[in-house]
Amino acid sequence: MIEGHGDDSYKFERPITANFSSNVYNRVDLSGLQAHLCSCISGISSYPEPEPYTLEGRLAEKYHLTAASVCVTNGATEAIYLIAQTFRGTNTAIFQPTFSEYADACRMHGHRVTSLYKLPTAETNYLLPPDIRMLWLCNPNNPTGTVIEKAYLKELITRNPQVCFVIDQSYEFFTVQPLFSPDEAVNFPNVLLLHSMTKRYAVPGLRLGYITADEGLLSRLRTHRMPWSVNQLAIEAGIYLLAYDVPNPLNISVYLQETARLRHALESLGGLEVWETETHFMLVRLRIGKASALKNYLANEHGILIRDASNFEGLDEHFFRIAAQTAEENDRLVQAIERWFATY
């Protein structure tokens, strides 16, 4: 996935002025956080806490949990690899198409990985295949933008107590659909709930995430945790963001309305199949041409970056993913794609 990830503007000589490629809204005012981190820069001359106890404590206070129910990680990606390592050799299922790091991490640590494209229903008593011991779900899902209903997830988790459910809610801030809260997750002995401050506050360069789960489940993860994985500036940033709740300028309902407007504008072009979404990003399939060619055209001719989604399992060379940005940038994208179609 490293080569196929979004936000790869470094590959292009022309400056990128509209970035749709990563699922981050790029218009958050981080000046207060930047000033705070500058004032804390002397802290890099000392080791950080070997485990980010202080930040875990602040998160626990926020969600009315015990500190033992929170594990702060170097982005959600460290959480993914830490889980895969802790449960090494497990029979694992991954609901596809989704973020490929789940499969990469599991294969690195000897899991026997199965891809699922349908989840069990009431007709089968919500029962998963009997050999499965871990199931990975992204909710809202990357790259499709779909949300699995909370009531359904409760049934699935309750009916399959032998399965450890890893539910990645990195994009929880960007949907109005009901999702698990941290205090709900800790009541299940078989749920690991992943969260991303990276996505919530648009700080991908800081790498900051956390897991909320039953204390016993998290204690197993901590036995495999590398010391000092979260650096001092990231810890300071997390504490600052929680204390001041740095305002994301987004009204989510309004932002999702703009996402819907963008989706309909793309559909009106013809030549595109735009998947329905319940969050701020969407999956798009080209009826003509390849996503890689469109990506290169948009970057080189218009300074616009999209995510070629052909490397997601179950997708092909015609798929790309975009995250809605400002109305002006969204209009630029639609007009640029229309011009690309005119070349065929």
Side-chain angles (χ1 to χ4, degrees):
M1 171 59 92
I2 291 176
E3 270 304 307
H5 204 275
D7 226 358
D8 52 352
S9 58
Y10 56 85
K11 293 182 178 178
F12 302 96
E13 291 185 6
R14 176 170 179 159
I16 298 299
T17 55
N19 185 358
F20 295 83
S21 71
S22 69
N23 295 333
V24 173
Y25 182 75
N26 296 303
R27 295 295 181 262
V28 179
D29 180 8
L30 296 173
S31 57
L33 174 62
Q34 291 163 357
H36 175 70
L37 293 181
C38 286
S39 72
C40 297
I41 197 67
S42 62
I44 65 173
S45 61
S46 302
Y47 278 94
E49 299 168 346
E51 294 186 13
Y53 310 112
T54 302
L55 182 52
E56 288 173 349
R58 300 290 173 84
L59 284 162
E61 289 174 11
K62 178 180 175 68
Y63 296 118
H64 309 290
L65 304 174
T66 63
S69 299
V70 182
C71 179
V72 170
T73 55
N74 186 347
T77 302
E78 187 200 3
I80 292 164
Y81 280 81
L82 182 59
I83 293 166
Q85 179 186 7
T86 302
F87 296 93
R88 186 176 183 85
T90 298
N91 279 355
T92 287
I94 301 172
F95 187 46
Q96 301 281 7
T98 197
F99 190 41
S100 67
E101 293 293 345
Y102 309 144
D104 291 349
C106 288
R107 291 191 177 106
M108 178 184 289
H109 291 288
H111 290 233
R112 293 170 290 281
V113 178
T114 301
S115 292
L116 296 181
Y117 290 90
K118 290 184 179 178
L119 293 174
T121 63
E123 293 179 358
T124 57
N125 254 350
Y126 301 97
L127 296 178
L128 289 161
D131 60 327
I132 297 302
R133 291 296 176 269
M134 177 167 279
L135 177 63
W136 296 73
L137 302 165
C138 189
N139 200 40
N141 185 45
N142 174 22
T144 63
T146 54
V147 173
I148 302 171
E149 290 185 5
K150 188 163 83 168
Y152 170 81
L153 275 181
K154 287 181 178 178
E155 287 288 345
L156 193 63
I157 292 163
T158 304
R159 300 290 182 94
N160 294 274
Q162 79 285 1
V163 176
C164 180
F165 289 81
V166 184
I167 304 175
D168 185 351
Q169 289 191 178
S170 289
Y171 304 104
E172 60 196 340
F173 177 72
F174 297 96
T175 186
V176 294
Q177 300 303 314
L179 301 174
F180 281 137
S181 62
D183 60 319
E184 288 176 314
V186 302
N187 289 322
F188 293 104
N190 58 332
V191 170
L192 292 160
L193 196 62
L194 277 56
H195 312 268
S196 173
M197 296 185 81
T198 291
K199 303 298 189 301
R200 166 67 177 86
Y201 295 105
V203 287
L206 278 173
R207 315 307 307 137
L208 196 57
Y210 56 99
I211 309 167
T212 53
D214 170 78
E215 290 183 16
L217 205 50
L218 276 189
S219 68
R220 294 183 64 182
L221 264 63
R222 285 190 168 95
T223 63
H224 295 273
R225 187 185 200 177
M226 184 182 76
W228 301 300
S229 67
V230 183
N231 70 70
Q232 183 63 36
L233 290 182
I235 292 171
E236 288 286 354
I239 293 169
Y240 176 90
L241 292 168
L242 290 177
Y244 294 97
D245 196 21
V246 171
N248 191 312
L250 291 173
N251 176 308
I252 295 303
S253 295
V254 173
Y255 185 32
L256 294 181
Q257 289 173 12
E258 175 59 23
T259 302
R261 188 188 72 85
L262 171 60
R263 181 173 178 268
H264 294 145
L266 289 169
E267 285 181 325
S268 70
L269 295 177
L272 294 171
E273 176 189 344
V274 190
W275 289 26
E276 292 187 13
T277 181
E278 293 171 290
T279 185
H280 66 302
F281 56 84
M282 65 196 77
L283 190 63
V284 186
R285 183 181 181 276
L286 288 166
R287 294 193 176 99
I288 54 173
K290 296 181 180 180
S292 58
L294 175 60
K295 176 180 177 176
N296 287 331
Y297 168 81
L298 291 174
N300 292 321
E301 300 297 325
H302 297 276
I304 295 173
L305 190 62
I306 63 172
R307 166 73 153 88
D308 179 351
S310 60
N311 65 335
F312 283 93
E313 183 170 335
L315 304 184
D316 60 27
E317 62 190 8
H318 304 293
F319 283 91
F320 66 94
R321 188 200 67 202
I322 53 173
Q325 299 298 322
T326 66
E328 180 184 2
E329 289 171 320
N330 294 339
D331 289 342
R332 279 182 59 198
L333 174 66
V334 173
Q335 292 162 10
I337 293 176
E338 185 175 27
R339 290 174 188 168
W340 185 70
F341 280 141
T343 66
Y344 274 84

